[in-house]
Amino acid sequence: MTETKNIDAIYLHIPFCDKKCEYCDFCTFVKMEREYQKYTDYLIKEIRMHPKYEYDTIYFGGGTPSLLSIEMLASIMGELKYKENSEITLELNPYDMSFEKLKQIRKLGINRLSIGIQSFQDHVLKFIGRQHSGEEAIQVFKDARKAGFDNITIDLMFGIPNQSLDDLKKDLKKILEISPNNVSIYSLIWEEGTIFWSKLQKGILSEIDQDLEAEMYEEIIDFFEKNGYCQYEISNFARIDDKDVEVYKVKNFEDLKKLQKNAGKHNLKYWRNKEFVGVGMSAAGYFDGERHSNVRTFRKYYASIDKDEFPVDENSIEIVDKEEKIKLERMLGLRLTQEGIEYFEDERVEKLLKDGLIEKVEFEKGIDTRIRLTKKGMLLANNVFIEFV
């Protein structure tokens, strides 16, 4: 592997969970405490196989990274070189998280939490197989603030079979009580191989009505717009701390930075098609002109590292040539609902403009004309993206 100078982001996959959620298809394993230390040791070995980059963003994902002991997390952090103002994120679930452990996590230098809440409604949480209650989620959030976390994002879901529009509205109201810096809110995706998928095939579950799902999404967009959040990506909303900047009236990047101050810096790198390192089982990586994922079994992962080889799944490698890079930049960049992408002349673009799915905006008059999704385009985003595949 050659050293790419501009890599400043790393994703670390921790594949352990207490329980498998019924909708989840991530590479995760339950009740594997015996494997925690060995996996941590091999993760560190993989980190050492990469050049000693200075990271601007570090992201512990999973799985449930907070299941690792403080000592294990500390040993991983000790292998990473990062800038003074880096964003260092750890995903956690509200279940079985103490105030004491939150304080210890903060002392490690981890300065951002991503809390997987999914819903504040207990009947919805039970339906999707979550172990925490709505009240426990709120308590963990408050404890995290007391522990010194000034930057917290939460995950919510909508479009769940037994979830009503009223359930969603109740979830959104809870956001006003706790005021997270960022909210990621995704519709349920029926992934093959999950418990939900199996129940769908057997007729035990059925997909939510598409009109109701669209109504839910419109409710979400309207709620955040009215309550001081900027929708900067199709499914992500950042709290606006500078009230002098108005959403959808931004015409320069300085104001855009103010709007997106609380946005997830790490995920923004993905959507801007920046290269990054991925370590751990199943972790995605993007550097040296290729995208790839690591292998998904402990045996293969350990064996590759024992041979001092990157644990890449050879079948996952995608070569990113100049043409593919442009395509990725356009498709990923259009997810960014405020900044969008640079305008380019193309009949597909003109058709989308005519259909009202995208709009033109001048960020710098005569110099930087951009295109971005309209609200109608957000509702029909998949149709827009198909045009750029």
Side-chain angles (χ1 to χ4, degrees):
M1 190 194 102
T2 58
E3 181 172 351
T4 307
K5 298 292 184 185
N6 63 351
I7 289 182
D8 62 0
I10 185 170
Y11 171 81
L12 306 102
H13 189 74
I14 311 299
F16 304 116
C17 282
D18 274 328
K19 182 184 177 187
K20 188 87 168 176
C21 296
E22 298 200 359
Y23 56 85
C24 178
D25 78 327
F26 293 155
C27 178
T28 58
F29 303 87
V30 299
K31 306 299 181 186
M32 293 283 283
E33 290 86 352
R34 66 185 183 279
E35 208 68 40
Y36 289 6
Q37 186 61 61
K38 183 176 181 180
Y39 184 80
T40 298
D41 294 341
Y42 274 79
L43 191 76
I44 288 170
K45 289 178 183 179
E46 187 185 358
I47 291 169
R48 290 174 179 170
M49 293 167 71
H50 289 275
K52 196 78 173 176
Y53 296 119
E54 184 177 40
Y55 295 111
D56 176 57
T57 64
I58 297 168
Y59 195 102
F60 289 86
T64 311
S66 56
L67 287 178
L68 294 186
S69 68
I70 292 299
E71 292 73 24
M72 292 173 193
L73 289 170
S75 64
I76 296 169
M77 286 289 291
E79 294 295 324
L80 302 169
K81 184 182 178 185
Y82 50 91
K83 299 170 186 174
E84 189 177 345
N85 62 343
S86 294
E87 176 194 270
I88 306 174
T89 305
L90 180 93
E91 289 183 353
L92 63 82
N93 288 328
Y95 176 73
D96 198 26
M97 176 53 60
S98 68
F99 176 58
E100 190 57 40
K101 186 162 186 178
L102 285 165
K103 287 195 295 184
Q104 291 175 324
I105 290 169
R106 183 66 189 91
K107 284 178 183 176
L108 292 178
I110 293 166
N111 54 24
R112 181 174 183 266
L113 293 180
S114 176
I115 305 179
I117 294 174
Q118 315 315 347
S119 175
F120 294 100
Q121 311 310 308
D122 288 347
H123 73 277
V124 176
L125 291 167
K126 185 177 179 181
F127 182 79
I128 62 178
R130 303 292 285 179
Q131 291 178 284
H132 67 271
S133 68
E135 281 304 311
E136 284 171 333
I138 291 170
Q139 188 58 52
V140 166
F141 185 97
K142 290 178 178 178
D143 284 347
R145 286 290 196 220
K146 288 179 189 173
F149 286 97
D150 300 321
N151 193 354
I152 303 175
T153 180
I154 66 171
D155 284 354
L156 293 175
M157 292 175 65
F158 71 99
I160 301 166
N162 79 331
Q163 182 187 37
S164 67
L165 183 61
D166 190 52
D167 288 329
L168 175 67
K169 288 179 179 179
K170 288 177 182 176
D171 280 346
L172 295 173
K173 283 181 183 176
K174 290 290 183 186
I175 289 168
L176 298 181
E177 290 180 26
I178 58 177
S179 189
N181 304 74
N182 188 91
V183 180
S184 298
I185 182 161
Y186 296 95
S187 63
L188 173 68
I189 298 174
W190 298 84
E191 299 283 6
E192 194 169 349
T194 63
I195 297 171
F196 264 23
W197 177 265
S198 176
K199 288 182 177 179
L200 181 68
Q201 300 310 303
K202 293 173 183 175
I204 299 170
L205 293 180
S206 57
E207 296 185 53
I208 192 170
D209 179 77
Q210 286 188 340
D211 289 339
L212 175 57
E213 188 171 354
E215 189 179 356
M216 285 180 164
Y217 187 49
E218 288 183 277
E219 180 71 30
I220 289 162
I221 293 172
D222 290 344
F223 170 85
F224 284 109
E225 189 174 342
K226 290 173 185 172
N227 289 287
Y229 280 76
C230 162
Q231 183 177 15
Y232 66 96
E233 191 269 343
I234 286 176
S235 301
N236 280 270
F237 302 81
R239 194 184 70 208
I240 304 168
D241 292 336
D242 189 335
K243 302 304 179 187
D244 292 331
V245 186
E246 292 186 58
V247 182
Y248 297 116
K249 292 188 178 178
V250 169
K251 295 292 177 69
N252 61 71
F253 279 102
E254 286 308 307
D255 281 348
L256 186 65
K257 284 179 186 175
K258 292 175 186 176
L259 271 184
Q260 297 185 172
K261 176 177 171 264
N262 288 309
K265 284 170 63 178
H266 186 82
N267 284 345
L268 277 171
K269 292 180 192 292
Y270 294 156
W271 296 315
R272 289 170 179 159
N273 201 38
K274 303 297 183 184
E275 295 190 344
F276 62 93
V277 170
V279 296
M281 289 165 54
S282 83
Y286 175 30
F287 50 81
D288 290 347
E290 70 172 45
R291 295 166 69 92
H292 62 262
S293 298
N294 280 352
V295 294
R296 296 174 67 93
T297 68
F298 290 105
R299 182 182 61 80
K300 289 181 180 178
Y301 182 68
Y302 296 153
S304 294
I305 292 172
D306 281 337
K307 291 186 283 188
D308 202 28
E309 295 174 357
F310 284 104
V312 172
D313 179 352
E314 297 295 329
N315 295 319
S316 73
I317 296 173
E318 299 174 30
I319 303 302
V320 182
D321 57 19
K322 187 177 179 181
E323 185 180 339
E324 184 65 20
K325 187 176 181 183
I326 292 171
K327 193 185 294 183
L328 281 168
E329 284 172 356
R330 289 172 178 170
M331 204 163 58
L332 292 169
L334 271 175
R335 295 188 65 90
L336 297 171
T337 52
Q338 292 295 325
E339 63 190 74
I341 59 174
E342 288 184 19
Y343 169 77
F344 61 101
E345 291 187 6
D346 188 287
E347 61 182 21
R348 295 169 299 175
V349 172
E350 301 310 318
K351 182 179 183 300
L352 291 168
L353 284 167
K354 185 180 177 182
D355 292 342
L357 297 175
I358 61 173
E359 64 181 356
K360 263 189 198 181
V361 59
E362 283 196 336
F363 265 58
E364 217 173 322
K365 196 167 179 65
I367 299 173
D368 189 4
T369 303
R370 307 183 74 78
I371 51 174
R372 63 188 183 190
L373 294 171
T374 60
K375 287 187 180 180
K376 180 182 175 183
M378 290 179 218
L379 289 166
L380 299 170
N382 288 339
N383 296 9
V384 178
F385 298 148
I386 286 169
E387 294 289 339
F388 295 96
V389 174

